[in-house]
Amino acid sequence: MKLMVIDGNSILNRAFYGIRLLSNSAGLYTNAVYGFLNILQKLLADDAPDGLCVTFDRKEPTFRHKLTEEYKATRKGMPDELAMQLPYIKSVLDAMNIPRYELAGWEADDLIGTISRRCEAAGWDCLAVTGDRDSLQLITDKTHVKLVTSKMGHNEYVEYDEAVFEDKYGFAPIRLIDLKALMGDSSDNIKGVPGVGEKTAMELLKSYGSLRGVYEAAEKGEVKPSVAKKLIEGRESAELSFTLATIVTDAPLDFAPEEAKRRDVNNDELYRLFTELEFTKLIEKYGLTAPDGAAAPASSLGEFRFALLTSPEAVAEAAARFAGRPVALLFPAEAATPVFGAEGRFFGLDPALPLGTAAPVFALADKIGTGIKDTQLRLLRAGLQDGGWRFDVGLAAYLLDPSDGDYSLERVAHRYAGLELDAGAEGEQLSLLGEAPDAEKDAKRAAALEALFPILEAKLAEAEMTKLYYEIELPLCPVLAQMEQWGCLVDREALVRYGKELGASIDVFEQAIYTEAGEKFNINSTKQLGAILFDKLGLPPVSRTKSGYSTNIEVLEKLSGKHPIIDAIINYRQFTKLKSTYADGLLAEIAPDGRIHSKFNMTVTATGRLSSTEPNLQNIPVRTQLGAEFRKMFVAPEGELLVDADYSQIELRLLAHISGDETMIASFASGQDIHRSTAAQVFHVAPEEVTSLQRSRAKAVNFGIVYGISDFSLAQDIKVSRAEARDYIDRYLATYSGVKAYMQEIVEQAKRDGYVSTLFGRRRYLPELKSKNFNLRSFAERVALNMPIQGTAADIIKLAMIRVSRRFEAEGLRARLILQVHDELIAQCPEAEAERARQILEEEMENVVQLSVRLLAEAKIGKSWHEAH
C-alpha cells in the first residue's frame, strides 16, 4: 500500500506563481486552486496511490519561532490574491474527501515527517510531494520525496529515493540537516555557521560524515585553520540551526494510514464549488452531475450544422435568411474566411471566393462579433460596406472586468459560458483566435459568439452599464476604425532632417563625455558608467542595485552641477531616446501612402482611456521644445488644414462637479485662473498678489490631489521639504472642504461596494482595498480617488468623438477625426471647412454633458499639429 502526502502550502504557492492570475466573473482569484488541481490530477495519474492526504501550515507560531524570533523573519506574507484562495482549496479537498491535516505549533513539514513514519510503522510506503527540498531529509527505503519544481514555465516532477539523493549530494538524506546547520538557509532565515557557504559545507560533510564529525575534526586540527575558526566561533549558531532544520517525525497528530484511503468525491458539494469557481471543464473531467434543482452550466454549444458556400448566389441566399435578426459573424484574421450564422446553422465562405462575395453578409445590420473595430477597419480597407453591429463580445467582457487583460474569445467563452474552444493541454494558455483558417473550427467559435450575447448583455444590465456600452463603447468602434484607416500625414523629409540634427548633437555630447571621463567607454552600460562616475571621478554614489551603482535619471539629476560630465550624460540620453524612439521609430511606421496609421486600443486601460500603439502617438513628448518639434512633422496635405481641440483642465472641472465643492465651482464659474485662485485661497493673499512660485505650487497640488498625491511625492515634485508639502496639502483641503469630504467618502464607498464608477457607470473593481499589504491597499485607495475623475474624462472624450464624427457627416463635410491624445482631438479638413470644423469641435466637446461647471474646449487651426496646438 502506498500513501501520498502533499505539502499543501508549497504546491499551492507553486500553482499560484506558475499560472497567470485568473478570476471568476465575481472577481474571485482562482489560478492557485486551478493549478493545484491540475498538479493533483497529474500526480494521481502518474503514481496511483492507495491513500492521499494534504498538510497545511497554520498562522500560529511554531516551536521554532519560540526558539528564535529570527526564524522565517525575512519571509514576506502571503499575497492577498493567494490568501483569498486558501479557504477554497481546503473546501475543495473536503468535497473530494481528501483528508487534510494542520496542527497549531507545528509546520506542514513536521506533519509530513510524522505521517511518513506512521506509514512505515504500518507497513505502508509513503510518497511526500513538495516543492521544498527540506523534506529530502525524510527519505528512507520506504519513504520517497517527489519534488515539484518549475522550469521554463512548466512543472517538473523528480522522485528522490536514497540512491538518487546520494548520487546528487554524496551523503545520506538524513545529513541534509547537517548541511543546513553548516551553510544555513536564507529562505527560512536559518543562520548556519557565519562565513561557511554551500561548497565548503558540502566538502566538510563528505569528508567527516556529520555535523558532529566536522566539529571533532575541527577540534583535532584536521580542518583548514580559517574554516576551523569559523566553525568554533559559530558552534552555537550551528547547533541552533540543526534544531531548526530538523523535521519532527513524532508530532502529536491524530493520524493512521487507513483513514487516508482514497474515497469517492462528494458530487453535490464539489459541483457547487466548481460552479462557483467556474471550473466547467473540471466538472466534466470529474464526471460531476448537477444536484437536484441546480442548473448545469453551459458547457456545450449543442448540435449545429455547418456548410461551406462556394458561389456568390449561395452567399447571398444564406445572408438573406438572417436579415432582420442577430447573426454571429467571425472574421478573425487577415487570412481567414468569414464565418456566420445563428440558431445552429452556420456558413463559411469558400477561401477560393473573393472577399467581396461576402458583401451581403457584411451588410447585415445586427451582427454579433468580437474585436469589431478591427473587422470594421478590414472592411474599410477592402472597400466593403458595413451594415452595423448588435454586439461586441470582447468589448462587453472588458467593461465587466477592465483589469482582466485577456478578452480573447476563448477566454471569454470559458469564463462566462463554460465553453472550451480548442483549449491546449491542461494548464497551457488557450490558443489564440484564428491561428488557422479552419472554417469548421471557426464555426464553433461563431456559435460561441451567439451563446455569449445574451449572457454578457444580461451581465451588463446587472452592472448598470448597458447605456455606457450601447451609447459610448459600441458606437465608438466605427469612429476609431475610420481614424486608423485615414491616419496622419507625416513630413518624411523634415523627420529625416530632424533625426540627423539629433544625431549630430548626440555625437557632440558623446565626445564631451569621453573628454570629461578621460577615456572612451560604453555610455549605455550601467556598469561602465558607474565605474567612471563613482570610482574614477569620485562622485558620491546616490543609490546601489544588486549589480552595482545605479545611474538612472533620478541619480543623475541629484548629481547635476557636481561635474560637467553629468549634464552631458543627461543630454546624451535625452537626445538618444528622442532619435531612436521618435525620429527613427516614426520613420519606420510611415506607410506607403505617407501616413502613419496608429492603432487605437479599446480594451487595454483599466480607466477606460484609449491607448495608442504601432506607434504610440499619445506618448510623443510635448513638454520640452525638443519633443514638441515632432508635432511639426505631422502635417495636413496640400489644400487641407488640421484643427486641434483640447479640453481645458477637464479633470479639475470634473473634480469640482463630482465633489460638489462650492469654492472650486465658484472659481470656475467666475472664469478665474483656477491655479491662481487656489494659490490665493491657500496662501491667503489677493489673486493679483499671487507669485509665480505660489501659482506653480498650487498647480502641483491641484493636479496632485486628483491622483491622491502624498506629501512625499509632492515634496519631490516641487522641491520642498516633506513637512512643507504636507502643509500645502492641508491648506488645500481646508480651503476645498468638499474635495476633502469626497476623498474620504469615495474610498469608504469603494471599500463597501468593492468598486468605483464614473458618471457614466463605468466600473473599476478594487479587491486590493482589502489587502493586508500597505502598498497594495494605498495604491487601491489612490485609484478609488482618481478613477471616477479620469474614467469620466475618458467617457466624455469618447462621447465627444462620436458626436463630432456624426456632426461632420450630418453636415456633409469632408472633415474627419484623425487622432485622439487623451483630452485632445485632431481633425483634418479642406481649408474651406476649417472654421466650421473648429466650431463643431468646440460645440460638441463643450456640450457633450451638462455639469455644475462648464466644460471648456479651445480649437486652433494650422498646417501642422504643432501649429494647430
Side-chain angles (χ1 to χ4, degrees):
M1 303 288 280
K2 179 170 70 174
L3 179 134
M4 176 184 289
V5 54
I6 297 175
D7 184 339
N9 291 88
S10 175
I11 299 305
L12 194 66
N13 264 281
R14 193 157 299 282
F16 176 76
Y17 289 107
I19 298 178
R20 64 179 177 80
L21 281 177
L22 301 173
S23 62
N24 67 2
S25 53
L28 171 71
Y29 290 112
T30 60
N31 60 313
V33 179
Y34 185 75
F36 185 101
L37 292 171
N38 285 338
I39 293 172
L40 176 60
Q41 284 183 313
K42 176 170 176 56
L43 292 169
L44 295 179
D46 290 350
D47 297 293
D50 303 287
L52 175 66
C53 62
V54 182
T55 66
F56 286 97
D57 292 323
R58 287 178 63 95
K59 291 183 178 180
E60 297 91 343
T62 66
F63 71 91
R64 294 180 179 86
H65 293 92
K66 294 176 182 178
L67 287 173
T68 172
E69 293 180 354
E70 294 182 349
Y71 180 66
K72 292 190 176 181
T74 56
R75 283 212 180 171
K76 295 180 179 179
M78 182 182 292
D80 290 331
E81 295 85 352
L82 173 56
M84 69 170 61
Q85 300 183 59
L86 189 57
Y88 281 88
I89 190 60
K90 292 181 179 180
S91 296
V92 167
L93 292 172
D94 292 345
M96 295 175 76
N97 284 318
I98 298 173
R100 55 183 177 85
Y101 299 97
E102 48 190 89
L103 191 62
W106 305 87
E107 295 184 42
D109 286 349
D110 299 320
L111 304 189
I112 292 173
T114 301
I115 288 169
S116 69
R117 297 304 178 253
R118 298 267 183 91
C119 285
E120 292 178 6
W124 285 52
D125 291 332
C126 181
L127 178 64
V129 179
T130 181
D132 188 349
R133 294 181 182 274
D134 291 349
S135 294
L136 295 174
Q137 65 184 268
L138 298 172
I139 295 171
T140 66
D141 61 334
K142 299 284 287 181
T143 295
H144 295 176
V145 173
K146 177 167 280 192
L147 274 184
V148 183
T149 57
S150 296
K151 187 175 183 181
M152 303 296 289
H154 296 282
N155 285 331
E156 291 191 347
Y157 303 80
V158 179
E159 184 171 332
Y160 284 78
D161 58 14
E162 289 178 310
V164 173
F165 181 92
E166 290 189 24
D167 182 61
K168 180 176 179 63
Y169 287 91
F171 46 78
I174 193 65
R175 295 306 170 198
L176 185 64
I177 306 170
D178 306 65
L179 180 66
K180 291 290 182 73
L182 289 167
M183 63 175 278
D185 184 346
S186 59
S187 65
D188 289 338
N189 204 30
I190 295 175
K191 300 300 184 184
V193 176
V196 173
E198 180 177 8
K199 182 179 178 181
T200 301
M202 293 278 285
E203 291 173 350
L204 289 170
L205 277 182
K206 288 177 182 177
S207 299
Y208 306 110
S210 67
L211 183 68
R212 176 178 291 181
V214 168
Y215 272 97
E216 288 176 353
E219 290 168 350
K220 293 176 182 178
E222 297 174 1
V223 177
K224 186 178 177 180
S226 60
V227 175
K229 184 174 184 295
K230 294 174 184 176
L231 289 168
I232 300 302
E233 292 176 351
R235 184 161 197 159
E236 184 177 341
S237 178
E239 291 172 350
L240 174 60
S241 298
F242 186 92
T243 301
L244 295 173
T246 301
I247 293 177
V248 172
T249 56
D250 58 353
L253 181 69
D254 184 12
F255 169 82
E258 292 78 9
E259 297 171 355
K261 283 186 176 180
R262 293 175 65 184
R263 292 178 286 164
D264 291 337
V265 303
N266 182 329
N267 175 85
D268 291 3
E269 183 58 19
L270 191 58
Y271 184 97
R272 183 192 68 77
L273 283 165
F274 280 0
T275 300
E276 180 183 354
L277 296 167
E278 299 175 3
F279 292 167
T280 308
K281 191 172 183 181
L282 292 182
I283 289 177
E284 296 177 358
K285 188 165 287 188
Y286 280 87
L288 303 176
T289 57
D292 292 341
S299 59
S300 173
L301 293 169
E303 295 295 325
F304 63 90
R305 291 176 293 164
F306 172 77
L308 198 63
L309 303 173
T310 58
S311 71
E313 294 76 18
V315 175
E317 182 181 343
R321 69 189 295 163
F322 298 112
R325 58 194 176 107
V327 55
L329 171 63
L330 190 79
F331 197 25
E334 291 295 339
T337 181
V339 174
F340 64 100
E343 299 175 359
R345 196 73 175 97
F346 293 90
F347 302 91
L349 188 72
D350 188 330
L353 291 175
L355 184 60
T357 308
V361 179
F362 297 130
L364 292 170
D366 290 308
K367 300 184 292 294
I368 301 164
T370 189
I372 68 170
K373 184 263 293 179
D374 294 334
T375 298
Q376 289 172 320
L377 177 61
R378 292 179 64 189
L379 297 182
L380 283 170
R381 288 175 174 170
L384 294 171
Q385 293 298 312
D386 177 12
W389 294 80
R390 177 74 174 272
F391 204 77
D392 184 320
V393 163
L395 204 52
Y398 164 69
L399 282 190
L400 291 169
D401 187 356
S403 299
D404 188 314
D406 182 358
Y407 307 103
S408 63
L409 182 55
E410 285 84 355
R411 163 70 170 154
V412 176
H414 172 74
R415 178 171 181 178
Y416 292 99
L419 300 169
E420 297 291 340
L421 305 180
D422 296 335
E426 197 69 51
E428 291 182 3
Q429 186 174 353
L430 295 172
S431 61
L432 296 175
L433 184 63
E435 282 185 342
D438 187 321
E440 292 198 41
K441 288 182 180 179
D442 284 343
K444 183 179 180 182
R445 294 181 170 95
L449 289 173
E450 183 185 26
L452 285 164
F453 168 43
I455 296 171
L456 294 175
E457 191 172 49
K459 287 188 174 294
L460 286 172
E462 183 183 344
E464 299 178 331
M465 287 192 285
T466 300
K467 189 174 182 180
L468 171 70
Y469 181 78
Y470 283 112
E471 294 187 7
I472 296 181
E473 293 296 323
L474 203 60
L476 184 65
C477 293
V479 176
L480 294 176
Q482 290 170 346
M483 289 169 64
E484 291 184 22
Q485 164 74 353
W486 285 319
C488 309
L489 183 65
V490 176
D491 186 337
R492 178 190 289 270
E493 292 182 2
L495 191 56
V496 170
R497 285 197 302 272
Y498 191 47
K500 289 180 179 178
E501 291 173 13
L502 290 172
S505 297
I506 291 169
D507 291 340
V508 172
F509 293 128
E510 186 177 63
Q511 290 305 315
I513 292 167
Y514 294 154
T515 300
E516 296 295 339
E519 62 179 275
K520 286 190 175 183
F521 64 99
N522 183 356
I523 302 171
N524 299 313
S525 165
T526 299
K527 185 175 181 180
Q528 291 185 35
L529 180 59
I532 292 292
L533 296 181
F534 306 115
D535 293 335
K536 183 174 182 178
L537 299 181
L539 290 168
V542 176
S543 64
R544 294 177 181 267
T545 64
K546 291 182 180 179
S547 57
Y549 298 113
S550 173
T551 61
N552 60 28
I553 187 61
E554 288 81 9
V555 168
L556 293 177
E557 285 177 349
K558 288 179 180 178
L559 293 173
S560 182
K562 296 185 181 298
H563 194 285
I565 197 173
I566 299 298
D567 288 340
I569 294 169
I570 291 174
N571 287 327
Y572 172 85
R573 285 189 178 176
Q574 180 187 10
F575 278 66
T576 300
K577 179 175 177 59
L578 287 172
K579 185 176 188 303
S580 62
T581 304
Y582 300 108
D584 300 340
L586 291 176
L587 271 175
E589 297 290 348
I590 299 177
D593 63 0
R595 304 175 79 89
I596 285 180
H597 300 267
S598 182
K599 180 178 180 181
F600 295 97
N601 305 298
M602 301 179 71
T603 61
V604 172
T605 72
T607 61
R609 275 188 168 188
L610 296 171
S611 73
S612 164
T613 53
E614 302 174 30
N616 182 1
L617 297 184
Q618 295 185 338
N619 206 33
I620 291 179
V622 294
R623 293 187 178 181
T624 64
Q625 181 58 39
L626 282 169
E629 285 291 312
F630 285 105
R631 290 198 172 200
K632 294 180 180 179
M633 314 303 166
F634 291 83
V635 297
E638 190 67 32
E640 300 208 4
L641 292 168
L642 299 184
V643 185
D644 185 330
D646 195 359
Y647 275 119
S648 172
Q649 301 164 338
I650 186 172
E651 292 189 355
L652 287 179
R653 292 171 186 269
L654 285 171
L655 176 62
H657 173 79
I658 291 172
S659 69
D661 188 284
E662 295 180 0
T663 305
M664 188 174 286
I665 292 172
S667 293
F668 278 118
S670 67
Q672 296 176 19
D673 173 351
I674 186 63
H675 304 310
R676 181 171 296 278
S677 178
T678 297
Q681 295 277 355
V682 169
F683 297 110
H684 306 297
V685 296
E688 60 273 14
E689 294 176 3
V690 171
T691 66
S692 59
L693 180 61
Q694 287 174 327
R695 184 186 181 280
S696 174
R697 291 180 175 176
K699 181 178 180 180
V701 180
N702 265 331
F703 286 118
I705 288 293
V706 175
Y707 290 89
I709 198 167
S710 66
D711 50 14
F712 176 78
S713 297
L714 181 62
Q716 287 193 317
D717 288 349
I718 62 176
K719 306 292 189 297
V720 297
S721 70
R722 191 167 177 177
E724 194 172 353
R726 180 73 258 167
D727 181 55
Y728 288 151
I729 293 174
D730 289 343
R731 287 195 200 182
Y732 179 95
L733 295 177
T735 300
Y736 297 117
S737 57
V739 173
K740 181 178 182 180
Y742 161 75
M743 293 173 69
Q744 294 169 341
E745 290 166 7
I746 193 64
V747 172
E748 291 305 313
Q749 178 189 320
K751 290 177 179 177
R752 185 174 62 252
D753 298 340
Y755 63 87
V756 288
S757 301
T758 69
L759 292 181
F760 293 83
R762 184 185 303 276
R763 290 185 181 183
R764 180 168 180 179
Y765 292 90
L766 295 170
E768 300 91 348
L769 284 170
K770 297 180 180 179
S771 174
K772 294 177 182 176
N773 181 292
F774 174 79
N775 290 330
L776 268 180
R777 196 169 62 251
S778 298
F779 161 77
E781 290 176 357
R782 290 194 298 273
V783 170
L785 290 172
N786 172 249
M787 198 281 172
I789 298 165
Q790 189 179 97
T792 298
D795 293 340
I796 286 173
I797 195 74
K798 286 179 174 180
L799 192 53
M801 293 169 72
I802 296 165
R803 294 190 179 178
V804 167
S805 183
R806 287 176 177 173
R807 184 89 175 271
F808 284 164
E809 184 177 358
E811 296 194 14
L813 302 179
R814 288 173 53 201
R816 61 269 196 192
L817 290 174
I818 61 170
L819 190 59
Q820 183 263 1
V821 179
H822 303 312
D823 306 326
E824 181 182 359
L825 295 180
I826 299 95
Q828 180 182 310
C829 64
E831 292 179 356
E833 294 180 2
E835 183 56 33
R836 185 62 185 146
R838 185 191 66 77
Q839 291 173 1
I840 290 173
L841 277 163
E842 288 186 354
E843 289 172 10
E844 294 300 336
M845 290 174 71
E846 291 184 352
N847 297 305
V848 71
V849 64
Q850 298 302 311
L851 305 174
S852 57
V853 295
R854 180 191 170 197
L855 286 179
L856 190 63
E858 183 180 7
K860 296 179 181 179
I861 301 168
K863 284 295 294 181
S864 70
W865 186 7
H866 180 271
E867 188 178 314
H869 183 63

PDB file of all heavy atoms in Angstrom, residues 518-532:
ATOM      1  N   GLY A 518      38.023  61.157 -19.679  1.00  0.00           N
ATOM      2  CA  GLY A 518      39.432  60.866 -19.945  1.00  0.00           C
ATOM      3  C   GLY A 518      39.641  59.561 -20.672  1.00  0.00           C
ATOM      4  O   GLY A 518      40.766  59.079 -20.809  1.00  0.00           O
ATOM      5  N   GLU A 519      38.556  58.957 -21.165  1.00  0.00           N
ATOM      6  CA  GLU A 519      38.665  57.691 -21.911  1.00  0.00           C
ATOM      7  C   GLU A 519      37.341  57.399 -22.610  1.00  0.00           C
ATOM      8  O   GLU A 519      36.300  57.960 -22.277  1.00  0.00           O
ATOM      9  CB  GLU A 519      38.992  56.528 -20.974  1.00  0.00           C
ATOM     10  CG  GLU A 519      37.907  56.265 -19.919  1.00  0.00           C
ATOM     11  CD  GLU A 519      38.261  55.093 -19.029  1.00  0.00           C
ATOM     12  OE1 GLU A 519      37.961  53.946 -19.446  1.00  0.00           O
ATOM     13  OE2 GLU A 519      38.815  55.333 -17.941  1.00  0.00           O
ATOM     14  N   LYS A 520      37.400  56.495 -23.588  1.00  0.00           N
ATOM     15  CA  LYS A 520      36.181  56.033 -24.232  1.00  0.00           C
ATOM     16  C   LYS A 520      35.632  54.831 -23.480  1.00  0.00           C
ATOM     17  O   LYS A 520      36.395  54.006 -22.973  1.00  0.00           O
ATOM     18  CB  LYS A 520      36.453  55.654 -25.699  1.00  0.00           C
ATOM     19  CG  LYS A 520      36.652  56.853 -26.620  1.00  0.00           C
ATOM     20  CD  LYS A 520      36.665  56.413 -28.075  1.00  0.00           C
ATOM     21  CE  LYS A 520      36.731  57.620 -29.007  1.00  0.00           C
ATOM     22  NZ  LYS A 520      36.682  57.220 -30.433  1.00  0.00           N
ATOM     23  N   PHE A 521      34.320  54.729 -23.427  1.00  0.00           N
ATOM     24  CA  PHE A 521      33.673  53.583 -22.760  1.00  0.00           C
ATOM     25  C   PHE A 521      32.245  53.483 -23.304  1.00  0.00           C
ATOM     26  O   PHE A 521      31.788  54.351 -24.052  1.00  0.00           O
ATOM     27  CB  PHE A 521      33.666  53.756 -21.242  1.00  0.00           C
ATOM     28  CG  PHE A 521      32.851  54.927 -20.755  1.00  0.00           C
ATOM     29  CD1 PHE A 521      31.547  54.755 -20.276  1.00  0.00           C
ATOM     30  CD2 PHE A 521      33.372  56.229 -20.784  1.00  0.00           C
ATOM     31  CE1 PHE A 521      30.792  55.835 -19.843  1.00  0.00           C
ATOM     32  CE2 PHE A 521      32.620  57.310 -20.346  1.00  0.00           C
ATOM     33  CZ  PHE A 521      31.325  57.104 -19.880  1.00  0.00           C
ATOM     34  N   ASN A 522      31.554  52.446 -22.930  1.00  0.00           N
ATOM     35  CA  ASN A 522      30.172  52.271 -23.373  1.00  0.00           C
ATOM     36  C   ASN A 522      29.247  53.089 -22.469  1.00  0.00           C
ATOM     37  O   ASN A 522      28.952  52.693 -21.342  1.00  0.00           O
ATOM     38  CB  ASN A 522      29.783  50.780 -23.328  1.00  0.00           C
ATOM     39  CG  ASN A 522      28.374  50.537 -23.856  1.00  0.00           C
ATOM     40  OD1 ASN A 522      27.652  51.477 -24.196  1.00  0.00           O
ATOM     41  ND2 ASN A 522      27.992  49.273 -23.916  1.00  0.00           N
ATOM     42  N   ILE A 523      28.793  54.214 -22.985  1.00  0.00           N
ATOM     43  CA  ILE A 523      27.973  55.126 -22.180  1.00  0.00           C
ATOM     44  C   ILE A 523      26.656  54.467 -21.773  1.00  0.00           C
ATOM     45  O   ILE A 523      26.091  54.772 -20.724  1.00  0.00           O
ATOM     46  CB  ILE A 523      27.686  56.428 -22.962  1.00  0.00           C
ATOM     47  CG1 ILE A 523      29.009  57.102 -23.357  1.00  0.00           C
ATOM     48  CG2 ILE A 523      26.823  57.386 -22.140  1.00  0.00           C
ATOM     49  CD1 ILE A 523      28.832  58.268 -24.317  1.00  0.00           C
ATOM     50  N   ASN A 524      26.192  53.515 -22.590  1.00  0.00           N
ATOM     51  CA  ASN A 524      24.921  52.865 -22.310  1.00  0.00           C
ATOM     52  C   ASN A 524      25.040  51.689 -21.354  1.00  0.00           C
ATOM     53  O   ASN A 524      24.042  51.064 -21.002  1.00  0.00           O
ATOM     54  CB  ASN A 524      24.277  52.390 -23.625  1.00  0.00           C
ATOM     55  CG  ASN A 524      23.989  53.554 -24.556  1.00  0.00           C
ATOM     56  OD1 ASN A 524      23.436  54.563 -24.139  1.00  0.00           O
ATOM     57  ND2 ASN A 524      24.377  53.415 -25.819  1.00  0.00           N
ATOM     58  N   SER A 525      26.267  51.397 -20.918  1.00  0.00           N
ATOM     59  CA  SER A 525      26.484  50.327 -19.945  1.00  0.00           C
ATOM     60  C   SER A 525      26.419  50.913 -18.537  1.00  0.00           C
ATOM     61  O   SER A 525      27.252  51.752 -18.168  1.00  0.00           O
ATOM     62  CB  SER A 525      27.836  49.655 -20.176  1.00  0.00           C
ATOM     63  OG  SER A 525      28.198  48.874 -19.050  1.00  0.00           O
ATOM     64  N   THR A 526      25.453  50.491 -17.763  1.00  0.00           N
ATOM     65  CA  THR A 526      25.315  50.978 -16.384  1.00  0.00           C
ATOM     66  C   THR A 526      26.583  50.688 -15.583  1.00  0.00           C
ATOM     67  O   THR A 526      27.049  51.527 -14.812  1.00  0.00           O
ATOM     68  CB  THR A 526      24.104  50.309 -15.701  1.00  0.00           C
ATOM     69  OG1 THR A 526      22.928  50.665 -16.428  1.00  0.00           O
ATOM     70  CG2 THR A 526      23.970  50.761 -14.258  1.00  0.00           C
ATOM     71  N   LYS A 527      27.137  49.488 -15.779  1.00  0.00           N
ATOM     72  CA  LYS A 527      28.331  49.095 -15.029  1.00  0.00           C
ATOM     73  C   LYS A 527      29.523  49.983 -15.376  1.00  0.00           C
ATOM     74  O   LYS A 527      30.228  50.488 -14.486  1.00  0.00           O
ATOM     75  CB  LYS A 527      28.658  47.634 -15.315  1.00  0.00           C
ATOM     76  CG  LYS A 527      29.811  47.089 -14.485  1.00  0.00           C
ATOM     77  CD  LYS A 527      30.001  45.599 -14.742  1.00  0.00           C
ATOM     78  CE  LYS A 527      31.148  45.062 -13.894  1.00  0.00           C
ATOM     79  NZ  LYS A 527      31.357  43.601 -14.128  1.00  0.00           N
ATOM     80  N   GLN A 528      29.762  50.195 -16.687  1.00  0.00           N
ATOM     81  CA  GLN A 528      30.911  51.008 -17.098  1.00  0.00           C
ATOM     82  C   GLN A 528      30.708  52.470 -16.710  1.00  0.00           C
ATOM     83  O   GLN A 528      31.653  53.135 -16.262  1.00  0.00           O
ATOM     84  CB  GLN A 528      31.125  50.874 -18.609  1.00  0.00           C
ATOM     85  CG  GLN A 528      31.599  49.493 -19.043  1.00  0.00           C
ATOM     86  CD  GLN A 528      31.909  49.424 -20.527  1.00  0.00           C
ATOM     87  OE1 GLN A 528      32.401  50.387 -21.117  1.00  0.00           O
ATOM     88  NE2 GLN A 528      31.608  48.282 -21.142  1.00  0.00           N
ATOM     89  N   LEU A 529      29.485  52.974 -16.860  1.00  0.00           N
ATOM     90  CA  LEU A 529      29.219  54.364 -16.496  1.00  0.00           C
ATOM     91  C   LEU A 529      29.392  54.562 -14.995  1.00  0.00           C
ATOM     92  O   LEU A 529      29.970  55.568 -14.551  1.00  0.00           O
ATOM     93  CB  LEU A 529      27.796  54.755 -16.926  1.00  0.00           C
ATOM     94  CG  LEU A 529      27.374  56.191 -16.603  1.00  0.00           C
ATOM     95  CD1 LEU A 529      28.303  57.197 -17.270  1.00  0.00           C
ATOM     96  CD2 LEU A 529      25.934  56.437 -17.040  1.00  0.00           C
ATOM     97  N   GLY A 530      28.913  53.601 -14.217  1.00  0.00           N
ATOM     98  CA  GLY A 530      29.070  53.691 -12.764  1.00  0.00           C
ATOM     99  C   GLY A 530      30.531  53.718 -12.354  1.00  0.00           C
ATOM    100  O   GLY A 530      30.927  54.465 -11.452  1.00  0.00           O
ATOM    101  N   ALA A 531      31.342  52.893 -13.023  1.00  0.00           N
ATOM    102  CA  ALA A 531      32.772  52.865 -12.714  1.00  0.00           C
ATOM    103  C   ALA A 531      33.425  54.216 -13.002  1.00  0.00           C
ATOM    104  O   ALA A 531      34.275  54.694 -12.242  1.00  0.00           O
ATOM    105  CB  ALA A 531      33.456  51.760 -13.515  1.00  0.00           C
ATOM    106  N   ILE A 532      33.031  54.848 -14.107  1.00  0.00           N
ATOM    107  CA  ILE A 532      33.588  56.163 -14.459  1.00  0.00           C
ATOM    108  C   ILE A 532      33.166  57.220 -13.437  1.00  0.00           C
ATOM    109  O   ILE A 532      33.986  57.977 -12.905  1.00  0.00           O
ATOM    110  CB  ILE A 532      33.145  56.588 -15.874  1.00  0.00           C
ATOM    111  CG1 ILE A 532      33.777  55.684 -16.941  1.00  0.00           C
ATOM    112  CG2 ILE A 532      33.471  58.060 -16.134  1.00  0.00           C
ATOM    113  CD1 ILE A 532      35.270  55.842 -17.081  1.00  0.00           C
TER     114      ILE A 532
END
